[in-house]
Amino acid sequence: MTAVMEAKGLSKHFQARRGLFGGSRGVVRAVDEISFAIETGHTLGVVGESGCGKTTTAKLVLGLETPSGGSIQFEGRDLETLDTPGRRRYRKSVQAVFQDPYASLNPRMRISAIIAEPLVTNEKTVAPEVRHRVLELLDLVGLPERSADLFPHEFSGGQRQRIAIARALVLSPQVIVLDEPVSALDVSIRAQILNLLRSLQTRLGLSYLFIAHDLAAVAHMSHEIVVMYLGKIVESGEARALALSPKHPYTKALFAAALPSHPDERSDEPVLQGEVPSPLSPPSGCHFHPRCPHATARCAQEAPRLRPVEGRQVACHLFE
Amino acid sequence: MTVTTTPLAAAAASPAARTLKLWRLEGFPLIPVLILLLIAFVAVFADFLAPYDPQIGSLARRFRPPAWEAGGSMAHLLGTDHVGRDVLSRLIFGARVSMVVGLTAVLVAGGIGTLLGILSGYLGGWVDQVIMRVTDAWLALPALTFAIFLAAIVGPSELNIIVILGGVYWTRYARVVRGEVLSLKQREFVRLAVVAGCSKWLIMRRHILPNVLNSAIVLATLMLGVVIVTEASLSFLGVGVPPPKPAWGLMMADGKKGLMVGYWWLTVFPGICIMLMVLSANLLGDWLRVKLDPQLRQL
Amino acid sequence: MKQFIVRRVGYSLLSLFLLSVTIFLFVRVTGDPTTLLVEPGASPEDIENMRHQFGLDQPLWVQYWLFATSFVTGDLGQSFYYRTPVLELYFQRLPNSLQLAAVAMVLSLLIGIPSGILAAVRVGGFWDSAGKTFSLLGLSLPQFWVGLVLILFFSVYLGWLPSSGSGGILHLLMPAFTLGWYFAAAHMRLTRSSMLEVLDSEYVKLARLKGLPEALVIGKHALKNALIPVITLAGINLVVMINVAVVVETVFAWPGIGRLLYEGITFRDFPVVQCVVVLGGSMIIVVNLLVDILYAYIDPRIRLES
Amino acid sequence: MANKLLSLENVSAHYVSQQGTRVVRAVDEVTLSLDAGETLGIVGESGSGKSTLALTILRLLPKAARIVGGRIMFEGEDLVDKPAAEMRRVRGKRIAMILQDPMASLNPLFTIGDQVGEPLRVHEGASRSSAWQRAIDLIKSVRIASPQTRVAQFPHEMSGGMRQRIVGAIGMSCEPRLLIADEPTTSLDLTIQAQYLDLLRELQRTHGLALIFITHNLGIVAKMCDQLAVMYAGRVVEQGPVSRVFSQPLHPYTKALLGSIPRMTEEREQLTAIDGQPPDLANLPAGCSFAARCPAAFARCQVEAPPDFTVEPGRSARCWLAAPTVHASIDQTIPLSRSAAS
């Protein structure tokens, strides 16, 4: 198994400073030295609550933000060291599908132009070829050919998300970042899109970075899962094993808080108390210690590192 | 695997058809649009429509009342002014002045404002800071006061008025457009365009500009009314279109002296013209705002 | 909070600076400043003297320095017409403008707020369209036209009210109404839209769900929230009113700052024009600053967000 | 029927457009009932009419909508033709409701004590000081520390979790018999959502409340509810005890819905996708409104809308397949997934 993409010690810090006379108000470590790998043809799921850094991670991978530290390696080469053609190739190989199907498509462009935009921008292609490719993709995502000449407002949410997927595929990328791709859709439509994404993965050998707050959807889609809390990875490992027997106290609490899919599965685990602290002033030591039922004095002082535990990575002093 | 979808027809046809229907039915401001078209028509064909030269009168025929008043005649349907010029002819040529000044000033203000608003909103950083600080400073001056100040410096002429009004009003445009751009910038299709490798300029042209156009049009229509009132006010105060050119505001300023002795037609008729034009522009703008741009409804 | 105020004051100073630069540049760059700054009909020697006095023979930045320092020290020049310092003239006229603005403001709030509330509560109904028409007229009708029609009606035909000048309350009525209508329309629109927004909020829905009588829902929960932006705008508008009354004061010959500006234009008395513009802009910048700081005291969320 | 806390009988609420040409049947012939202390989940997708149903019970429909038929019996009284002033005394006192966004539900300009005590003052004529005292007790009862100081604070001085609890306290202030929660947790993070559900559960236990959950999330129903009603296109297509409906859904829509959610506990290659879109409520088809998307539809479904078949006591479905004669063979007639069908 080879990793198509690998992040090593990746960080993104934001200066909490605004305007001309703002002055600095400290640093937000939105993403703090995280490492992960996306295997070829696999899905890496990222879960965590708001403020955990999962969206920033997606932006870093997409090149929408530049990392403050660490590196991203694509096909074994560091992005930093890539020359211009190399970067262009990277950009073509990594595409995205976002949450809101209504905001993802420019309302003033026809579907054909929307789907073709990445192609036209990046490659010299003649018009008939572009058209051919657009129709091919529409067929691939299950939309009729005549959709090409319509405008976005003529489609429902699920159909728009199919269009967004077609656009992401037009450059035949290797990695697609899926940032909450079904959260905005109705329950009965979600399954259509998840099924489509899975079948595209097997047919085209795509790798996904899948970000969602719906744990069951992530578990369903992913091969590996990364759990984040306040910018750090607290646990990562094989998806099913992690979902069924989480180890880190936060992962445990998170999965315990997930809603059951059947009334017989109601859990009586105690609910995690407290709220996620402000990322502007995260707790010392292990960020999770103020809410952790197992916290010791050491947790408040020393941040645990990720360590291998039973084929998984866990960042917790309990597992040393 | 099979991916099936509903026949598009059901989903596709109905919203489009509904939009068309709404467009036709819901409160289209027919009368205001007709009034604006009429004023535009009069402005274009003023030379053929006006019965007299608007700038030449004879003192022998001063202060003739409108035709239906005692002492009025059909020769001067709406009467004559203090130097015996035909009021109707002056109103007709005044329409040209208002239209030309109004439309070009809005175009100038809209052009500068939209451009700077997009640059400021999309590029952010120091470009945004510079543009917005200047905008803030300029907005602190009430538009009319600012316009008077500029007119006092550069002196009155039709061209100067256009430049002045454009210079005064672009800031309002820039503010609104910038706000719009900031929210568009957060929209996912703009982020996706970055992912697709589009350059900043391409994104501004293809993704930002077309999407702020609606707001810009609505604003332009509403601005037309404001600009015309300002132009008339400047003319009324004597720093607008220089006499003897027939501008509606100027006509009212001239007529003001006659008001106390009962020469009401000199102020009332140009006033009605200004009112009709401004009201029509505002009604059209209000309607467009609701139709084209739900986000501006709160404005 | 301290940081917020420092930042906000910084922005205001920057705005003042940019404003002064703008005014300075417009005067120097467009055409010959001597024609503006030197009295009409001055002899060539006088002009040469003045050029030296204003530093017009110096580099631009030196000129700006002279210009800025004279402003900061309160020296805004002499009026050509009245032969007195313009600042003195300005403060002579200011009380009249304040009087007019205060009455116009009271009128505009008395009309604007209740009609705005009514329009929002009965949205889509008769009062809503009546209010819309009223506000559209207020925003569309040129003030000089409204003024002249009022004069025509109340002074010429009915003879009830004096057409011009200052004196008793009767003199104030027409100019205050003319000035107030425009602002009443603006206040009505803002009251309506802010009320509609508040009526749609979750806490107003919850108030209804609590079973509160409708009068309490609107009078207590909605109104207080909806009026915050209106009162803010009114505060700023009071200062704006002082500075935009030029047309109204001209029509009714009301001896305020607007009238001073008008005299400045007609007598080609440029120092007066410049003074009115500079002080007007500064006043508005300062008021905006005060309102923002006050706002931050009332509502701490603003401090954190902006 | 008599001892039910709440029972809806053939309740319909329609939106009528201004010209009167478009009628949207947002709630259509809904029959439901709820015992004291019980929890009912009403599940549906957006536009299924579930939120309109909640507002119908409280008679707080928007102006364009009205109740066009049926009875809403609450503690033996019909709410439909209660005078407006009396209806107001039901809201907040006997039926409380919690809205989608608990964070935005508090008025920023009034103290917590004022807002918590307000229903007491309005409904029970409590004096300012006694309402304040009871507000302190209520705040304590939702387990907020130092209620004496909290009561005088403003909403922005509290964390999101505390505001949630305050909203719960407001709902409980007059000891209502029924609490309706409309999508109470959609905007919340998982652990915060769990805390909120926990709080509601606790309030229910301590106050003997009946709860109605309006949600699109089957997980909430599975976690919280005793009874379940599934809504589709304005109608309740299936209802019954939660565990029975989850284990043995009668209606193909329910079945597909249950099949479409990914599960943590089992590996599934394919989820059951429901093709197509819900119908336009202003232009419903002649037959069953789900027929166009139903994998098990047959000729009769297209022409005749099925009535509500009671399959066993407390369990019913609007589906021809649930008609007494064919009921036995339902599992054979409805394929689990679309791919198996085609």
Side-chain angles (χ1 to χ4, degrees):
Chain A
M1 196 47 63
T2 51
V4 60
M5 184 185 285
E6 226 174 317
K8 286 187 176 157
L10 194 61
S11 298
K12 178 69 196 179
H13 301 173
F14 293 103
Q15 292 286 328
R17 172 187 183 278
R18 279 166 207 266
L20 234 49
F21 307 99
S24 179
R25 285 208 232 137
V27 177
V28 175
R29 295 169 189 270
V31 169
D32 201 13
E33 297 194 27
I34 64 167
S35 303
F36 57 82
I38 306 174
E39 309 282 338
T40 311
H42 271 203
T43 302
L44 176 69
V46 181
V47 296
E49 295 176 280
S50 45
C52 75
K54 52 188 200 283
T55 299
T56 309
T57 306
K59 284 185 176 171
L60 287 168
V61 168
L62 288 170
L64 291 171
E65 300 277 4
T66 42
S68 323
S71 67
I72 295 175
Q73 301 200 331
F74 182 67
E75 292 178 322
R77 292 182 62 192
D78 195 329
L79 275 196
E80 287 286 307
T81 65
L82 285 182
D83 50 359
T84 316
R87 275 173 185 279
R88 174 170 289 257
R89 227 181 74 68
Y90 175 75
R91 216 171 47 202
K92 280 160 60 180
S93 308
V94 181
Q95 291 295 315
V97 175
F98 289 136
Q99 173 174 8
D100 186 353
Y102 291 85
S104 287
L105 312 178
N106 184 342
R108 307 257 150 198
M109 281 163 73
R110 286 181 195 282
I111 302 309
S112 52
I114 291 173
I115 295 179
E117 187 177 41
L119 189 64
V120 178
T121 319
N122 285 286
E123 277 168 30
K124 295 218 181 308
T125 334
V126 287
E129 259 178 64
V130 173
R131 178 84 186 171
H132 179 76
R133 181 83 178 126
V134 166
L135 296 182
E136 192 179 75
L137 284 163
L138 281 173
D139 183 56
L140 194 63
V141 298
L143 288 173
E145 281 193 359
R146 66 204 155 80
S147 315
D149 301 312
L150 302 176
F151 283 96
H153 68 86
E154 296 171 89
F155 295 87
S156 70
Q159 290 167 331
R160 284 173 195 229
Q161 210 59 321
R162 288 172 192 270
I163 294 165
I165 293 170
R167 175 189 160 104
L169 290 174
V170 73
L171 288 170
S172 309
Q174 284 162 281
V175 179
I176 298 184
V177 175
L178 305 166
D179 190 353
E180 304 270 8
V182 295
S183 314
L185 303 176
D186 254 327
V187 186
S188 70
I189 310 295
R190 283 183 195 177
Q192 293 177 10
I193 300 300
L194 291 179
N195 283 347
L196 173 66
L197 287 169
R198 275 189 79 146
S199 86
L200 288 172
Q201 180 166 49
T202 31
R203 283 166 69 180
L204 306 174
L206 295 166
S207 309
Y208 292 148
L209 180 67
F210 187 90
I211 294 172
H213 65 262
D214 179 354
L215 296 180
V218 175
H220 172 76
M221 291 292 291
S222 309
H223 299 84
E224 291 88 30
I225 291 180
V226 163
V227 184
M228 291 182 75
Y229 188 75
L230 282 174
K232 285 188 179 284
I233 292 177
V234 295
E235 182 166 356
S236 68
E238 198 273 317
R240 189 136 301 271
L242 190 144
L244 291 179
S245 67
K247 296 212 179 300
H248 192 284
Y250 175 67
T251 319
K252 268 195 181 134
L254 193 65
F255 280 85
L259 295 164
S261 49
H262 196 281
D264 298 345
E265 296 164 14
R266 288 181 193 178
S267 74
D268 284 316
E269 295 232 11
V271 168
L272 182 63
Q273 293 305 313
E275 293 162 55
V276 181
S278 157
L280 257 171
S281 51
S284 62
C286 171
H287 292 340
F288 186 59
H289 84 265
R291 302 174 76 191
C292 182
H294 310 291
T296 63
R298 186 182 171 199
C299 301
Q301 284 148 16
E302 192 187 327
R305 311 182 136 272
L306 273 174
R307 288 189 181 79
V309 179
E310 295 169 32
R312 228 181 284 175
Q313 300 277 322
V314 183
C316 180
H317 295 311
L318 287 177
F319 294 91
E320 282 171 18
Chain B
M1 121 144 219
T2 55
V3 181
T4 41
T5 43
T6 25
L8 276 168
S14 63
R18 218 178 293 151
T19 322
L20 206 74
K21 242 196 201 151
L22 283 178
W23 191 270
R24 243 184 259 152
L25 286 178
E26 265 182 27
F28 179 75
L30 185 66
I31 294 172
V33 168
L34 287 180
I35 289 174
L36 286 177
L37 288 176
L38 179 73
I39 295 174
F41 177 82
V42 168
V44 172
F45 296 102
D47 298 291
F48 303 100
L49 293 170
Y52 298 92
D53 187 315
Q55 305 197 11
I56 299 167
S58 80
L59 289 176
R61 303 155 174 259
R62 312 169 62 191
F63 296 127
R64 290 276 166 85
W68 60 90
E69 294 256 310
S73 78
M74 289 307 285
H76 297 284
L77 208 55
L78 299 180
T80 60
D81 68 2
H82 62 296
V83 284
R85 292 173 298 199
D86 182 50
V87 170
L88 178 63
S89 304
R90 284 181 70 72
L91 286 179
I92 287 172
F93 276 92
R96 180 178 284 180
V97 173
S98 290
M99 269 291 171
V100 167
V101 172
L103 289 179
T104 25
V106 165
L107 226 61
V108 171
I112 302 173
T114 308
L115 182 72
L116 292 181
I118 289 178
L119 288 177
S120 171
Y122 191 75
L123 295 179
W126 65 268
V127 177
D128 184 34
Q129 287 291 340
V130 169
I131 294 174
M132 282 338 280
R133 294 287 77 82
V134 171
T135 309
D136 279 351
W138 284 32
L139 272 173
L141 289 173
L144 185 61
T145 317
F146 196 13
I148 289 172
F149 171 72
L150 292 180
I153 294 175
V154 296
S157 83
E158 223 172 316
L159 180 68
N160 282 354
I161 290 299
I162 291 169
V163 173
I164 287 167
L165 292 176
V168 167
Y169 284 111
W170 70 265
T171 46
R172 275 135 231 264
Y173 248 103
R175 261 280 178 82
V176 175
V177 170
R178 174 177 176 270
E180 196 97 326
V181 172
L182 284 182
S183 86
L184 276 174
K185 210 171 139 185
Q186 298 304 316
R187 298 279 290 278
E188 288 166 346
F189 66 81
V190 175
R191 278 204 268 149
L192 281 168
V194 180
V195 173
C198 299
S199 69
K200 281 178 184 169
W201 308 110
L202 191 62
I203 290 174
M204 280 191 258
R205 211 183 64 216
R206 194 191 281 164
H207 295 286
I208 304 280
L209 181 65
N211 284 295
V212 296
L213 230 47
N214 270 354
S215 306
I217 290 169
V218 171
L219 211 57
T221 323
L222 293 172
M223 200 66 95
L224 184 63
V226 176
V227 164
I228 287 165
V229 171
T230 312
E231 180 268 320
S233 302
L234 288 177
S235 298
F236 180 81
L237 294 173
V239 282
V241 177
K245 259 222 157 188
W248 291 340
L250 191 63
M251 291 172 71
M252 293 183 70
D254 288 343
K256 197 204 158 193
K257 294 157 210 146
L259 192 64
M260 297 310 289
V261 283
Y263 302 146
W264 57 268
W265 59 92
L266 298 179
T267 48
V268 169
F269 290 132
I272 289 174
C273 288
I274 296 173
M275 182 190 86
L276 282 179
M277 186 164 175
V278 175
L279 209 55
S280 302
N282 278 336
L283 280 168
L284 178 63
D286 258 7
W287 181 79
L288 281 175
R289 170 161 68 190
V290 176
K291 284 290 117 169
L292 290 182
D293 196 84
Q295 283 156 3
L296 276 176
R297 267 181 224 192
Q298 299 289 337
L299 211 92
Chain C
M1 189 67 197
K2 210 169 151 191
Q3 214 174 32
F4 173 82
I5 293 179
V6 168
R7 193 168 72 229
R8 208 43 206 78
V9 168
Y11 277 129
S12 299
L13 289 175
L14 186 64
S15 282
L16 280 174
F17 168 71
L18 287 171
L19 187 68
S20 67
V21 170
T22 306
I23 288 171
F24 170 79
L25 282 181
F26 271 122
V27 175
R28 310 291 145 141
V29 173
T30 49
D32 181 8
T34 41
T35 58
L36 294 170
L37 299 174
V38 179
E39 257 180 272
S43 67
E45 296 97 81
D46 284 346
I47 292 179
E48 206 41 53
N49 272 338
M50 292 300 260
R51 280 181 70 86
H52 187 68
Q53 193 191 325
F54 283 108
L56 294 181
D57 44 3
Q58 309 257 2
L60 215 53
W61 67 270
V62 178
Q63 290 185 39
Y64 176 74
W65 180 248
L66 284 170
F67 171 83
T69 43
S70 67
F71 264 30
V72 172
T73 53
D75 174 19
L76 291 158
Q78 288 258 329
S79 160
F80 301 149
Y81 184 77
Y82 290 101
R83 306 264 162 205
T84 47
V86 286
L87 207 59
E88 225 168 81
L89 277 174
Y90 191 86
F91 284 113
Q92 266 168 28
R93 300 291 184 91
L94 191 61
N96 288 328
S97 277
L98 279 172
Q99 201 181 24
L100 176 62
V103 177
M105 177 54 71
V106 170
L107 273 179
S108 80
L109 291 179
L110 283 181
I111 299 169
I113 291 178
S115 57
I117 294 170
L118 202 60
V121 173
R122 302 251 179 281
V123 63
F126 168 78
W127 287 109
D128 194 15
S129 11
K132 234 181 240 165
T133 314
F134 166 81
S135 76
L136 200 61
L137 283 175
L139 296 173
S140 305
L141 298 182
Q143 287 180 348
F144 55 91
W145 191 69
V146 175
L148 291 177
V149 169
L150 287 178
I151 290 178
L152 187 63
F153 197 69
F154 288 103
S155 306
V156 178
Y157 285 135
L158 296 175
W160 290 355
L161 296 171
S163 72
S164 67
S166 65
I169 184 78
L170 290 182
H171 284 93
L172 253 175
L173 277 181
M174 287 199 293
F177 178 79
T178 311
L179 186 59
W181 192 0
Y182 177 87
F183 289 92
H187 293 153
M188 188 221 136
R189 284 200 163 200
L190 185 64
T191 307
R192 179 179 178 274
S193 66
S194 119
M195 192 74 182
L196 280 179
E197 197 177 305
V198 171
L199 284 178
D200 199 40
S201 72
E202 296 279 298
Y203 55 81
V204 165
K205 281 183 206 154
L206 185 68
R208 292 218 169 91
L209 290 170
K210 281 177 180 174
L212 301 194
E214 196 60 16
L216 207 58
V217 172
I218 290 167
K220 180 181 169 185
H221 284 273
L223 193 58
K224 211 170 160 186
N225 283 288
L227 284 188
I228 291 178
V230 182
I231 298 302
T232 314
L233 181 72
I236 295 170
N237 273 349
L238 188 67
V239 176
V240 172
M241 271 180 176
I242 297 170
N243 290 290
V244 294
V246 51
V247 169
V248 174
E249 291 183 4
T250 305
V251 171
F252 293 101
W254 181 265
I257 288 167
R259 175 82 188 167
L260 185 66
L261 179 61
Y262 177 68
E263 287 165 5
I265 309 165
T266 32
F267 303 143
R268 304 207 44 74
D269 196 349
F270 186 75
V272 167
V273 175
Q274 185 170 267
C275 167
V276 172
V277 172
V278 168
L279 289 183
S282 316
M283 225 192 271
I284 290 171
I285 288 174
V286 170
V287 145
N288 272 315
L289 169 69
L290 293 180
V291 162
D292 273 7
I293 292 175
L294 199 69
Y295 231 146
Y297 265 113
I298 298 172
D299 195 342
R301 282 169 301 180
I302 293 169
R303 256 179 285 164
L304 299 175
E305 278 162 20
S306 59
Chain D
M1 266 323 216
N3 54 359
K4 293 282 184 193
L5 176 71
L6 173 78
S7 63
L8 275 61
E9 294 159 29
N10 291 315
V11 174
S12 301
H14 295 174
Y15 285 83
V16 182
S17 69
Q18 274 190 341
Q19 292 92 343
T21 45
R22 249 174 83 87
V23 177
V24 175
R25 297 162 182 275
V27 172
D28 204 18
E29 309 247 311
V30 166
T31 301
L32 280 176
S33 66
L34 181 65
D35 279 323
E38 214 177 29
T39 308
L40 167 69
I42 299 178
V43 169
E45 297 176 73
S46 48
S48 63
K50 56 189 193 302
S51 290
T52 309
L53 182 61
L55 296 177
T56 306
I57 296 171
L58 284 160
R59 298 249 317 269
L60 275 176
L61 289 169
K63 273 183 201 123
R66 58 178 50 90
I67 302 173
V68 293
R71 297 204 298 166
I72 302 173
M73 300 302 291
F74 177 70
E75 294 186 315
E77 292 177 279
D78 188 355
L79 299 184
V80 170
D81 39 47
K82 237 178 168 17
E86 273 182 52
M87 193 58 218
R88 189 170 64 64
R89 264 173 255 134
V90 173
R91 294 196 278 266
K93 172 137 178 72
R94 291 158 64 195
I95 304 178
M97 183 164 165
I98 291 177
L99 293 164
Q100 279 196 15
D101 187 353
M103 311 289 174
S105 295
L106 296 174
N107 192 322
L109 296 183
F110 297 99
T111 57
I112 298 299
D114 185 335
Q115 298 187 57
V116 175
E118 198 170 30
L120 293 166
R121 301 191 60 196
V122 173
H123 292 300
E124 299 176 8
S127 68
R128 185 176 287 270
S129 60
S130 79
W132 191 264
Q133 273 312 313
R134 283 171 67 187
I136 295 177
D137 295 339
L138 282 160
I139 295 169
K140 198 193 267 169
S141 78
V142 291
R143 288 191 320 225
I144 290 179
S146 54
Q148 264 87 359
T149 41
R150 289 295 178 192
V151 74
Q153 287 184 327
F154 288 91
H156 66 81
E157 296 172 82
M158 316 199 118
S159 73
M162 277 193 245
R163 275 184 265 177
Q164 272 179 23
R165 290 169 181 278
I166 297 294
V167 171
I170 291 175
M172 290 306 104
S173 56
C174 290
E175 298 277 334
R177 301 294 311 282
L178 172 63
L179 177 68
I180 302 174
D182 184 8
E183 300 273 11
T185 60
T186 31
S187 55
L188 306 177
D189 266 329
L190 267 182
T191 56
I192 307 294
Q193 166 179 286
Q195 289 170 15
Y196 198 39
L197 293 176
D198 221 33
L199 172 74
L200 290 175
R201 165 88 46 82
E202 191 186 308
L203 290 175
Q204 174 174 38
R205 250 198 312 263
T206 49
H207 297 261
L209 267 179
L211 266 173
I212 295 181
F213 271 99
I214 309 245
T215 179
H216 67 273
N217 190 337
L218 282 164
I220 287 185
V221 177
K223 187 177 170 72
M224 300 290 290
C225 301
D226 310 315
Q227 299 287 323
L228 166 62
V230 181
M231 285 191 78
Y232 185 79
R235 293 188 169 171
V236 171
V237 295
E238 172 161 10
Q239 56 182 311
V242 168
S243 55
R244 298 278 296 129
V245 176
F246 268 73
S247 313
Q248 252 193 337
L250 293 172
H251 198 284
Y253 176 64
T254 318
K255 190 158 198 142
L257 215 49
L258 287 167
S260 73
I261 16 173
R263 293 188 179 192
M264 217 100 71
T265 46
E266 56 183 279
E267 180 92 38
R268 282 194 284 190
E269 265 311 305
Q270 285 280 304
L271 304 169
T272 317
I274 308 176
D275 295 330
Q277 316 291 328
D280 180 1
L281 289 178
N283 193 11
L284 287 173
C288 171
S289 44
F290 187 62
R293 302 172 76 188
C294 183
F298 49 95
R300 190 173 188 182
C301 305
Q302 313 286 355
V303 288
E304 196 180 343
D308 204 8
F309 292 110
T310 303
V311 178
E312 53 192 61
R315 261 206 103 182
S316 65
R318 279 183 190 269
C319 178
W320 289 117
L321 294 172
T325 46
V326 285
H327 175 227
S329 60
I330 177 163
D331 277 330
Q332 283 75 55
T333 40
I334 305 172
L336 236 172
S337 77
R338 178 73 189 162
S339 39
S342 52

